Amino acid sequence: MSTADATDDWGAGGTGRGVERKADPGPGSGGAGGLPVWVLGLLPLLLVIVTIGGFVALDGPGIGDRTGPPAEELVVEQTVLKPGTIELTVRNDGPDAVRIAQVQVNDAYAQFTGPSEGVGRLATAKVRVQQPWVEGEAYEVVLLTSTGGTIVHPIDIAVETPDEDGSFFGLMALLGIYVGVIPVALGMLWLPWIRRIPAGVFRVVMAVTVGLLAFLAIDSTLEGLELATLGSQAFGGTALVWIGAVVAYLLLSGVSSWLSGRRRSAEASGASPTQLATLVAVGIGLHNMGEGVAIGSAYSSGALALGAFLVVGFAIHNTTEGLAIVAPIAHTKPSLGRLALLGLLAGGPAVLGAWIGAAAFNTSVAAFLFGFGAGAIVQVIVQLAPTIRDGEGRTLHPPAVAGLLAGMGIMFVTGLLVAG
C-alpha cells in the first residue's frame, strides 16, 4: 500500500476502512427526500390533526352508545344573598348537560328561576331561589336535576352579600392595607437592630427568616389544596396548586438568573443583597395575595368577623414578614424609597387579593394563586439557604436548626391569633 493509499484510508487520525466523511448539513437543509426541515417537523402534527378530525367526523366509530344514567356533576362556585333571594352560581364539571328541575331549601320546595336548557360541560349558570331567609341562620339548598340527582349546598351562616360599589372596594383596600402593608412596614423597622448584631447572630436571624418562609410555603399549599377540593375539578382541581407552584418557581428562578448575570458583584448564593430582598418581597407578596383572596371571599359571604381582634391577629402574624425582607440588606444602605418599594411589593398584593376574592372569587383561580405563592417562596428559600452557612460550610448546623424551628414556631403561634 502506498503512502497516498494509507492517507486515504486513515486520514489525520482516521479510523481506517476507507470511510468517506460527509459534511454535516445545516439546520435549514433538506431532510429525507429533499423536504425542508420545517415540513418534516410539521408533518406528524398535521397527520394527528387529520386523524382526530376524521374520528370526530365519523362520530367516534367503535365507541358505541353509552349505557346507564348521565354523569351529573354540578359545583356551586358562588353564593349571593339578597333580601328574599338566594342566588347560586353553578358550573357543570361533568361530561353531560344538567337540567335543574326543582330546588329545595331546608327540605321545603322553593320557587326559582334558572337556565331553561341544560347546563353544558364547563358552562356556568345562575339559579335564583325565592326564599325569605333570616340573618345568622343556617340553610341547606338542594338542587334536584331532571334525572333525579341531587346537589347539596350548605349555607352555614346567612349574611347579606354587600353591594360591589366604590365604598365596598374602598373597604377591601383598607382591609388589605391593615393586614398586608402596615404589618410588613412595621416589621421592617427591625433593620437598625439587625445591622448591629454579630455575624453568628445574623446567621441565626437568617435561619429564622427561612423558617418563617417555610411556614408560609406550607400554609399556602394547604390553603390552596383545601380550596381546590371545594370547587370545580374540571380545570385541574388540586393539580392547579402544584402547577402554580412549579410555574412560580421556574419564573423566579429565571428572573433571579437574569439579575445575577447583570450584577457580577453577587453573593455566593448567586444574588446580591438587594436582589435577595426583592425576591423575598415578591414571594411574600404572592402569599399575601392568596391570603387577600381568602379574606375578601370570606368577607363577601359573611363568614369572617371584621373585629379589632382579627386586625390585631393578622398584624402580629404578618409583622414577622418585614423581618424576612430587611434581613438580606442588613449590611447595605438602602434608600427610604427602596425600602418603601420593598414594603409595597410584599404588602400591596393583599389589597389586590381582597378585591379579587370579594368581587370575582373563583376557587380554581384562588387555588392557583396559593400554589403560585408557595412556589415563589420555595425559590426564595433556595436563594437564602447559603446565607446561613457557618464557617465550615454547613447549612444545618445547630444554631441554624434552632433558628429554623424558631421561625416556624413564631408563625404558628401568631397564626393562632387569626380568627375567622
Side-chain angles (χ1 to χ4, degrees), residues 7 13 64 74 91-92 126 135 149 170 208 245 260 340 347 350 384 400:
T7 303
L74 277 184
R91 183 182 296 276
N92 183 4
K126 293 186 183 296
E135 185 172 356
V208 172
S260 298
L384 288 177

Short mmCIF file of all heavy atoms in Angstrom, two decimals, residues 7 13 64 74 91-92 126 135 149 170 208 245 260 340 347 350 384 400:
data_model
loop_
_atom_site.label_atom_id
_atom_site.label_comp_id
_atom_site.label_asym_id
_atom_site.label_seq_id
_atom_site.Cartn_x
_atom_site.Cartn_y
_atom_site.Cartn_z
N THR A 7 -2.94 7.30 3.53
CA THR A 7 -3.54 8.57 3.93
C THR A 7 -5.03 8.58 3.63
O THR A 7 -5.85 9.08 4.40
CB THR A 7 -2.86 9.73 3.22
OG1 THR A 7 -1.47 9.69 3.49
CG2 THR A 7 -3.43 11.07 3.66
N GLY A 13 -5.60 10.87 11.77
CA GLY A 13 -6.25 10.32 12.96
C GLY A 13 -7.54 9.61 12.61
O GLY A 13 -8.41 9.48 13.45
N GLY A 64 -69.47 3.26 20.31
CA GLY A 64 -70.83 2.81 20.61
C GLY A 64 -71.52 3.75 21.57
O GLY A 64 -70.93 4.68 22.12
N LEU A 74 -72.59 19.04 39.21
CA LEU A 74 -72.70 20.49 39.35
C LEU A 74 -71.96 20.94 40.59
O LEU A 74 -72.06 20.31 41.65
CB LEU A 74 -74.17 20.92 39.45
CG LEU A 74 -74.97 21.09 38.16
CD1 LEU A 74 -76.36 21.60 38.47
CD2 LEU A 74 -74.27 22.03 37.20
N ARG A 91 -71.45 25.54 38.17
CA ARG A 91 -70.66 25.15 36.99
C ARG A 91 -70.80 23.64 36.80
O ARG A 91 -70.79 22.87 37.76
CB ARG A 91 -69.18 25.51 37.17
CG ARG A 91 -68.33 25.17 35.94
CD ARG A 91 -66.86 25.49 36.17
NE ARG A 91 -66.65 26.92 36.36
CZ ARG A 91 -66.51 27.80 35.38
NH1 ARG A 91 -66.60 27.40 34.12
NH2 ARG A 91 -66.30 29.07 35.66
N ASN A 92 -70.93 23.23 35.54
CA ASN A 92 -71.06 21.81 35.21
C ASN A 92 -69.67 21.22 35.02
O ASN A 92 -68.97 21.52 34.06
CB ASN A 92 -71.90 21.64 33.94
CG ASN A 92 -72.11 20.18 33.59
OD1 ASN A 92 -71.71 19.28 34.33
ND2 ASN A 92 -72.75 19.93 32.46
N LYS A 126 -76.73 30.80 36.59
CA LYS A 126 -77.19 31.36 37.85
C LYS A 126 -78.57 30.81 38.17
O LYS A 126 -79.47 30.83 37.33
CB LYS A 126 -77.22 32.89 37.79
CG LYS A 126 -75.84 33.52 37.68
CD LYS A 126 -75.91 35.04 37.76
CE LYS A 126 -74.52 35.65 37.58
NZ LYS A 126 -73.61 35.27 38.68
N GLU A 135 -81.06 36.38 58.89
CA GLU A 135 -79.63 36.57 59.08
C GLU A 135 -79.12 35.76 60.27
O GLU A 135 -79.73 35.76 61.34
CB GLU A 135 -79.32 38.05 59.30
CG GLU A 135 -77.83 38.35 59.39
CD GLU A 135 -77.54 39.83 59.41
OE1 GLU A 135 -78.50 40.63 59.28
OE2 GLU A 135 -76.36 40.19 59.53
N GLY A 149 -81.16 13.33 40.26
CA GLY A 149 -79.94 13.56 41.04
C GLY A 149 -80.08 14.76 41.95
O GLY A 149 -80.94 15.63 41.75
N GLY A 170 -63.34 50.26 48.40
CA GLY A 170 -62.54 51.04 49.33
C GLY A 170 -62.34 50.31 50.64
O GLY A 170 -61.24 50.32 51.21
N VAL A 208 -34.02 32.08 61.02
CA VAL A 208 -35.39 32.38 61.43
C VAL A 208 -36.21 32.84 60.22
O VAL A 208 -37.37 32.46 60.05
CB VAL A 208 -35.40 33.46 62.55
CG1 VAL A 208 -36.82 33.93 62.83
CG2 VAL A 208 -34.76 32.92 63.81
N ALA A 245 -47.29 26.31 41.73
CA ALA A 245 -46.01 26.30 42.43
C ALA A 245 -44.84 26.14 41.47
O ALA A 245 -43.83 26.84 41.57
CB ALA A 245 -46.00 25.19 43.47
N SER A 260 -28.75 38.02 38.27
CA SER A 260 -27.38 37.66 38.66
C SER A 260 -26.40 37.90 37.53
O SER A 260 -25.25 38.28 37.76
CB SER A 260 -27.34 36.19 39.10
OG SER A 260 -28.17 35.98 40.21
N ALA A 340 -39.46 51.49 50.92
CA ALA A 340 -40.90 51.64 50.71
C ALA A 340 -41.38 50.74 49.56
O ALA A 340 -42.46 50.12 49.65
CB ALA A 340 -41.24 53.09 50.42
N GLY A 347 -46.58 43.81 50.81
CA GLY A 347 -47.89 44.00 51.42
C GLY A 347 -48.99 44.41 50.47
O GLY A 347 -50.16 44.08 50.68
N ALA A 350 -51.94 42.15 48.98
CA ALA A 350 -53.08 41.79 49.83
C ALA A 350 -54.32 42.59 49.43
O ALA A 350 -55.44 42.07 49.50
CB ALA A 350 -52.74 42.02 51.30
N LEU A 384 -31.90 31.92 49.80
CA LEU A 384 -31.43 32.36 51.12
C LEU A 384 -30.59 31.31 51.85
O LEU A 384 -29.82 31.66 52.76
CB LEU A 384 -32.63 32.72 52.01
CG LEU A 384 -33.38 34.01 51.68
CD1 LEU A 384 -34.57 34.17 52.61
CD2 LEU A 384 -32.46 35.22 51.81
N ALA A 400 -28.45 27.19 63.29
CA ALA A 400 -29.35 27.37 62.14
C ALA A 400 -30.62 26.55 62.32
O ALA A 400 -31.73 27.03 62.03
CB ALA A 400 -28.64 26.98 60.84
#
